[in-house]
Amino acid sequence: MERQSARVQAAGAYGADTSPGGCAVLYVSGNTDVCGPDRCRQALLRIGVNMMALPGGRHLDSIPLPGQRLHLMQVDSVQRWMEDLKLMTECECMCVLQAKPISLEEDAQGDLILAGGPGPGDPLQLLLKRGWVISTELRRIGQKLAQDRWARVHSMSVRLTCHARSMVSEYSAVSRNSSQEMSQIEKLLMEKCSELSAVTERCLQVENEHVLKSMKACVSETLSTLGEHFGQLLELALTREVQALVRKIDASDNIYTTESTTGNLFSLTQEGAPLCRIIAKEGGVVALFKVCRQDTFRCLYPQALRTLASICCVEEGVHQLEKVDGVLCLADILTDDSHSEATRAEAAAVVAQVTSPHLPFTQHLSSFLESMEEIVTALVKLCQEASSGEVFLLASAALANITFFDTMACEMLLQLNAIRILLEACSDKQRVDTPYTRDQIVTILANMSVLEQCASDVIQENGVQLIMGMLSEKPRSGTPAEVAACERVQQKAAVTLARLSRDPAVAREAVRLSCMSRLIELCRSPSERNSSDAVLVACLAALRRLAGVCPEGLQDSDFQQLVQPRLVDSFLLCSNMEESFV
């Protein structure tokens, strides 16, 4: 197949367009009989090769060009190439064939091919793969249209039609009887595909710029409508498949069937928010909590909970969770020591998801407040007993989100000696070994530091020194995610220090540990804070709080530039500093 593809692409060097398929469709205009080498060049220039084979040997009908008579001829591309080689031995032709680039299009190598194709009887994978290909083609056509590259727009429109027809044909072959609504949308989709191919072909014949401009608007509208029909069809088809999976989980009493089906559902959640919404609307949350309430499926709890955490990234998932008393079920799992650590960690992950401060709809979980004390107690215990960094991360992330969710949580944590447990964990590399975990810990400390009683606990547990260490957090790998996590740790450490320094004892301890020197360094050296403005503002605020208690710890220049001016003036001064590398 690779040899075949290479040969077809070589033929495409003479103005042909290539795309995936197993056969070639030759568009022959006029008389193209090749009787000898003297007519080889003219024949090549008048033959366009377009790989548009569809499953089962069916091919897209050609759209006739005005004033031309076209004939459709189906042949095997390799066989055709071997036959034509006998007539293409003219030296000039062979030199051009060897020297000319395979394609002048910079994205020709990006033509989409379904590697291996979906397995037989696997409608979900078929929909996902074809859906991804068609979505990508639609986006690319839009890009080429904006650049007025009409030849490319037309060839990609033809290929898009092939993919759409293949998806409809293949899905019909492996799925049950289509609904009337699906059949109607399939018809509308294919009509728009044909319309797009026809209008883009007409655009190739137009040279008047004003006419092309008006036709461009028509193409754009057709492309938009086509995208809408495709989205509707894909959603309907995926909804049918999700319904089948949910029914299977709901009705199954076999552990292996339930495990396989739940795994398929989890894979779907990884495809993005739209699929999570479909799963939630079609009863996926209800079915998964049913699994988590049956003792016979205990070994499947981690997998089911992991799937629930993914679904609850969308509002529909959280609403469904609340309707089925999901919070109560999570509390039962977290407080039951007979469950494995892995199960309780996955339950903590669901709690972290549904209490995320970044999702506005999670703030209205009224049922959570009823079980909050039990959940917070269980999460603190899980942090204390965690056997791995992953378990500690999930439990501490849930606690961090809960401290945003309700201020009562901070008072509960204080009573549970959470500060001691968290600060002790910081010295345990098995539990706390990444900036992501330290981000969760310092978030909890920052939110708890609004309480006056928090300061004495921090001093007692040597917490100021640990906060000082967090001001020096550095990424190991340099990946964007890790760099961002380090910035958050530095920012929240400075915020925590500023809040705790209301207590003179904390402020004096911070000065003794040279926190002011580190804060000055973060303010004056952009590289130390990765040029983060958020870190700069937090450090300036902490420095001013410490200077109010112990002004003798500052040099005159630092006081005049970082403390005495308005905060905004100090910020502008530090944010415009340029380091010298001489």
Side-chain angles (χ1 to χ4, degrees):
M1 186 62 192
E2 291 178 358
R3 294 179 182 175
Q4 174 183 343
S5 177
R7 286 163 176 160
V8 172
Q9 288 179 356
Y14 287 90
D17 184 25
T18 64
S19 53
C23 301
V25 176
L26 304 183
Y27 290 86
V28 186
S29 174
N31 182 10
T32 57
D33 296 333
V34 182
C35 299
D38 58 325
R39 301 181 64 181
C40 171
R41 191 180 308 104
Q42 291 82 356
L44 280 172
L45 292 176
R46 293 165 69 180
I47 294 178
V49 181
N50 197 325
M51 303 290 291
M52 299 190 307
L54 296 178
R58 288 172 288 179
H59 300 270
L60 181 68
D61 294 336
S62 61
I63 302 171
L65 292 173
Q68 290 184 318
R69 184 163 57 91
L70 301 180
H71 304 281
L72 192 65
M73 183 165 52
Q74 176 186 333
V75 295
D76 178 80
S77 54
V78 177
Q79 179 184 351
R80 180 68 184 184
W81 178 264
M82 296 300 293
E83 291 175 357
D84 289 349
L85 269 180
K86 301 173 183 178
L87 306 173
M88 298 180 186
T89 54
E90 187 179 5
C91 293
E92 184 182 351
C93 273
M94 294 305 294
C95 288
V96 172
L97 189 61
Q98 292 172 8
K100 191 169 182 176
I102 287 180
S103 176
L104 298 177
E105 295 285 350
E106 72 278 2
D107 61 346
Q109 299 301 318
D111 287 350
L112 300 168
I113 302 175
L114 284 176
D122 190 358
L124 266 175
Q125 287 304 312
L126 185 152
L127 288 170
L128 292 174
K129 288 184 177 181
R130 286 288 183 191
W132 177 81
V133 169
I134 293 173
S135 299
T136 306
E137 288 285 12
L138 283 167
R139 178 178 54 81
R140 289 185 176 181
I141 291 173
Q143 292 173 347
K144 301 305 173 191
L145 181 63
Q147 299 168 2
D148 294 329
R149 298 172 65 177
W150 292 105
R152 191 65 176 159
V153 168
H154 174 61
S155 64
M156 294 175 76
S157 298
V158 173
R159 188 166 63 240
L160 174 68
T161 304
C162 294
H163 286 307
R165 186 168 293 181
S166 294
M167 186 183 81
V168 171
S169 173
E170 292 169 5
Y171 182 67
S172 298
V174 297
S175 67
R176 295 157 295 280
N177 294 330
S178 297
S179 65
Q180 185 176 356
E181 185 180 9
M182 280 190 67
S183 299
Q184 182 65 24
I185 296 178
E186 286 174 3
K187 182 180 178 182
L188 292 173
L189 174 65
M190 296 316 302
E191 286 176 356
K192 282 297 173 184
C193 284
S194 299
E195 183 181 330
L196 182 67
S197 298
V199 70
T200 54
E201 187 172 15
R202 287 198 299 272
C203 289
L204 291 175
Q205 315 303 317
V206 176
E207 297 182 358
N208 189 301
E209 291 186 7
H210 296 291
V211 176
L212 267 180
K213 189 174 181 180
S214 63
M215 294 185 74
K216 183 176 180 179
C218 177
V219 172
S220 181
E221 183 180 350
T222 303
L223 193 63
S224 178
T225 307
L226 192 156
E228 290 177 8
H229 291 327
F230 167 69
Q232 292 169 354
L233 179 62
L234 190 60
E235 183 175 356
L236 277 175
L238 287 171
T239 298
R240 286 187 62 190
E241 298 307 319
V242 168
Q243 287 172 345
L245 286 177
V246 171
R247 284 196 301 267
K248 199 171 182 181
I249 293 174
D250 203 38
S252 174
D253 57 0
N254 181 286
I255 192 169
Y256 301 108
T257 301
T258 305
E259 180 182 21
S260 172
T261 312
T262 304
N264 289 338
L265 209 58
F266 175 75
S267 298
L268 283 181
T269 65
Q270 305 309 295
E271 298 295 331
L275 265 168
C276 290
R277 290 190 185 93
I278 293 174
I279 294 170
K281 288 178 180 178
E282 299 306 323
V285 174
V286 179
L288 290 168
F289 269 113
K290 182 179 177 181
V291 171
C292 291
R293 288 186 167 106
Q294 298 183 56
D295 285 340
T296 53
F297 291 142
R298 274 202 166 209
C299 61
L300 300 182
Y301 284 8
Q303 186 183 49
L305 290 165
R306 192 177 306 120
T307 308
L308 281 167
S310 298
I311 299 172
C312 288
C313 71
V314 296
E315 186 172 2
E316 294 83 354
V318 177
H319 289 332
Q320 290 297 316
L321 177 142
E322 190 164 28
K323 282 184 180 179
V324 297
D325 290 329
V327 173
L328 184 60
C329 180
L330 295 172
D332 291 340
I333 292 173
L334 284 167
T335 55
D336 187 350
D337 291 338
S338 67
H339 287 296
S340 66
E341 184 185 67
T343 298
R344 286 178 287 141
E346 294 298 344
V350 181
V351 172
Q353 183 65 67
V354 300
T355 55
S356 172
H358 304 294
L359 303 176
F361 49 82
T362 62
Q363 301 301 314
H364 307 292
L365 262 179
S366 57
S367 62
F368 185 83
L369 296 175
E370 300 171 7
S371 306
M372 186 169 69
E373 186 172 358
E374 292 178 338
I375 291 174
V376 169
T377 303
L379 289 171
V380 170
K381 184 179 180 182
L382 188 58
C383 284
Q384 189 173 17
E385 299 174 353
S387 62
S388 68
E390 182 181 0
V391 173
F392 186 91
L393 175 61
L394 292 173
S396 59
L399 284 174
N401 287 352
I402 292 172
T403 59
F404 286 106
F405 190 80
D406 193 273
T407 53
M408 286 173 50
C410 294
E411 296 176 2
M412 293 177 187
L413 289 171
L414 202 61
Q415 294 171 3
L416 293 168
N417 294 320
I419 290 178
R420 177 181 59 80
I421 293 170
L422 293 173
L423 293 179
E424 283 180 355
C426 288
S427 58
D428 183 359
K429 297 300 181 185
Q430 188 175 356
R431 287 185 289 169
V432 181
D433 59 346
T434 68
Y436 308 107
T437 309
R438 282 185 281 274
D439 181 20
Q440 307 310 319
I441 293 173
V442 74
T443 298
I444 298 170
L445 293 177
N447 288 339
M448 290 183 67
S449 62
V450 299
L451 303 175
E452 292 183 4
Q453 310 95 302
C454 181
S456 59
D457 286 6
V458 170
I459 292 178
Q460 186 178 345
E461 299 299 331
N462 198 25
V464 177
Q465 186 169 353
L466 286 169
I467 293 171
M468 170 74 175
M470 291 179 178
L471 289 172
S472 302
E473 188 75 32
K474 296 286 185 183
R476 296 177 187 173
S477 64
T479 60
E482 189 171 357
V483 170
C486 290
E487 290 177 16
R488 293 194 300 271
V489 171
Q490 288 182 328
Q491 178 199 3
K492 292 170 186 176
V495 169
T496 306
L497 192 59
R499 290 176 177 175
L500 292 173
S501 295
R502 292 178 313 221
D503 187 317
V506 175
R508 286 192 293 271
E509 178 68 7
V511 172
R512 187 184 70 81
L513 293 171
S514 303
C515 281
M516 293 179 79
S517 300
R518 177 57 184 161
L519 290 170
I520 291 169
E521 185 180 18
L522 285 166
C523 291
R524 293 192 176 280
S525 177
S527 63
E528 287 296 311
R529 62 175 190 272
N530 195 41
S531 301
S532 169
D533 289 343
V535 175
L536 173 58
V537 170
C539 289
L540 284 170
L543 184 63
R544 288 166 180 244
R545 179 63 61 85
L546 290 175
V549 179
C550 303
E552 63 275 8
L554 282 174
Q555 296 181 5
D556 289 343
S557 60
D558 293 327
F559 182 80
Q560 291 170 5
Q561 293 179 349
L562 304 179
V563 176
Q564 192 175 41
R566 295 181 307 163
L567 180 63
V568 65
D569 293 331
S570 296
F571 170 80
L572 291 173
L573 173 68
C574 294
S575 60
N576 290 329
M577 284 182 174
E578 293 186 5
E579 293 180 276
S580 173
F581 297 96
V582 178

